């Protein structure tokens, strides 16, 4: 049985799971689903279209399922779908999608620090960290294990690959390929060895990743040709395949070398 304060304002149509703790002055609208073992702190707003999994924590002042800040929004019914074990600290805002049938998606085990904002139709994988005041624009795609330091701005539509570290204060509008460090000036800052090792990448594969990025960022050729060189010259692994598929899917281009 959930522990729900009588001072919380909850629409009777909302679906609340088992063993949840909902504090006074939380506000939950009717078209909301909250899974088991979630903690909803005071002065939070869980709005229509929110579909939340298990063991999530939503701290004071956070707004989940906020209306999209998109001039194309016409009041359509849409969703924000959240997995398990996520933490939304104070004043985090997550917008639902713009159009009917569309979703803003957050996976599992992500941590949103104070003041972070995830915009409409963004897609977030698992085990990501969004530092203080980070803003992620609409339609962005953030892969597993990405870390955003404080005050990062991801402009709309940008993609971030697996295991990326984005340094504090960076503003970027192009894609950031997997396993690298993106500098404050939105430039290639080397391979993110620490994060790769946390993912279990061995030393040999780390060298192959570094070689792949030498071809991509320091070669005197186009991105298309450099990707072909990676396929021809770098030993195969799932990490190299991930890099190649990410680069081939880019529409905005990628960040530049230092």
């Amino acid at each position: 049985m959930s522990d729900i304060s009588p001072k919380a304002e909850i629409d009777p149509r909302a679906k609340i799971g088992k063993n949840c703790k909902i504090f006074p002055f939380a506000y939950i609208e009717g078209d909301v689903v909250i899974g088991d073992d979630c903690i909803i702190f005071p002065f939070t707003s869980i709005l229509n279209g929110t579909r939340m999994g298990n063991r999530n924590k939503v701290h004071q002042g956070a707004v989940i399922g906020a209306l999209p800040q998109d001039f194309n929004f016409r009041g359509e019914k849409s969703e924000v779908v959240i997995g398990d074990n996520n933490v939304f600290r104070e004043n985090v805002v997550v917008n639902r999608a713009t159009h009917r049938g569309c979703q803003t998606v957050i996976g599992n085990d992500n941590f949103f620090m104070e003041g972070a904002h995830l915009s409409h139709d963004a897609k977030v994988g698992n085990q990501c960290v969004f530092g203080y005041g980070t803003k992620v624009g609409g339609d962005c795609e953030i892969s597993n294990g990405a870390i955003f330091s404080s005050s990062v701005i991801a402009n709309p539509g940008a993609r971030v690959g697996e295991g990326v570290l984005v340094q504090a204060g960076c503003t970027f509008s192009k894609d950031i390929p997997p396993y690298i460090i993106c500098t404050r000036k939105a430039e290639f800052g080397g391979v993110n060895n620490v994060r790769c090792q946390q993912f279990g990448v061995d030393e040999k594969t780390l060298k192959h990743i570094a070689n792949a990025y030498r071809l991509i960022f320091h070669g005197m050729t186009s991105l298309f040709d450099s990707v072909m060189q990676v396929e021809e010259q770098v030993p195969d692994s799932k990490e190299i395949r991930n890099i190649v598929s990410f680069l081939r899917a880019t529409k905005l281009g990628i960040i530049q070398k230092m």
Side-chain angles (χ1 to χ4, degrees):
M1 183 175 178
S2 292
D3 180 7
I4 301 176
S5 170
K7 294 183 179 180
E9 185 169 342
I10 303 175
D11 190 299
R13 297 171 297 172
K15 298 178 181 179
I16 311 296
K18 300 176 182 178
N19 302 315
C20 291
K21 172 72 172 177
I22 301 180
F23 283 81
F25 313 116
Y27 174 75
I28 301 175
E29 293 186 330
D31 184 21
V32 168
V33 177
I34 296 176
D36 300 337
D37 302 300
C38 291
I39 301 176
I40 311 298
F41 285 93
F43 306 107
T44 55
S45 297
I46 314 295
L47 306 180
N48 287 331
T50 300
R51 309 287 182 261
M52 185 181 296
N54 304 320
R55 297 176 300 280
N56 293 290
K57 296 181 180 179
V58 184
H59 287 254
Q60 288 90 333
V63 181
I64 309 298
L67 295 181
Q69 298 180 42
D70 183 349
F71 292 123
N72 295 313
F73 180 60
R74 298 293 182 268
E76 300 172 55
K77 186 176 181 179
S78 61
E79 295 180 338
V80 52
V81 178
I82 299 169
D84 303 329
N85 304 308
N86 297 288
V87 177
F88 303 91
R89 290 303 302 261
E90 295 80 2
N91 304 314
V92 167
V93 176
V94 178
N95 294 115
R96 62 181 173 94
T98 297
H99 298 298
R100 180 179 298 275
C102 295
Q103 298 174 333
T104 301
V105 177
I106 298 171
N108 305 318
D109 303 297
N110 298 290
F111 196 104
F112 292 79
M113 294 186 184
E114 184 273 328
H117 185 170
L118 186 71
S119 296
H120 64 89
D121 299 282
K123 305 290 187 291
V124 174
N126 306 318
Q127 299 179 335
C128 297
V129 177
F130 298 85
Y132 298 106
T134 287
K135 312 298 180 184
V136 178
D139 297 296
C140 286
E141 297 180 14
I142 314 300
S143 301
N144 296 340
I147 298 177
F148 290 67
S149 300
S150 61
S151 301
V152 171
I153 298 176
N155 283 317
R159 300 159 60 237
V160 176
E162 183 174 316
V164 163
L165 170 64
V166 186
Q167 293 183 343
C170 175
T171 296
F172 64 96
S173 301
K174 295 188 176 183
D175 293 348
I176 304 177
Y179 316 119
I180 71 170
I181 296 169
C182 178
T183 70
R184 183 177 181 180
K185 294 182 178 180
E187 297 172 333
F188 172 65
V191 176
N192 188 5
N193 291 330
V194 173
R195 197 62 164 157
C196 287
Q197 290 168 348
Q198 291 172 345
F199 287 166
V201 179
D202 59 39
E203 289 293 329
K204 181 183 291 186
T205 304
L206 277 174
K207 292 179 181 178
H208 295 162
I209 292 171
N211 187 30
Y213 281 123
R214 276 193 291 271
L215 293 169
I216 292 163
F217 285 106
H218 298 289
M220 303 299 291
T221 186
S222 67
L223 179 62
F224 177 84
D225 288 338
S226 65
V227 170
M228 291 184 62
Q229 290 178 348
V230 169
E231 289 187 301
E232 294 169 355
Q233 300 178 28
V234 180
D236 182 61
S237 66
K238 68 175 183 179
E239 289 79 15
I240 297 301
R241 290 193 298 272
N242 190 13
I243 292 169
V244 169
S245 63
F246 183 95
L247 294 174
R248 282 188 166 159
T250 187
K251 296 178 180 179
L252 301 177
I254 64 172
I255 61 169
Q256 302 299 308
K257 67 179 181 179
M258 295 179 67

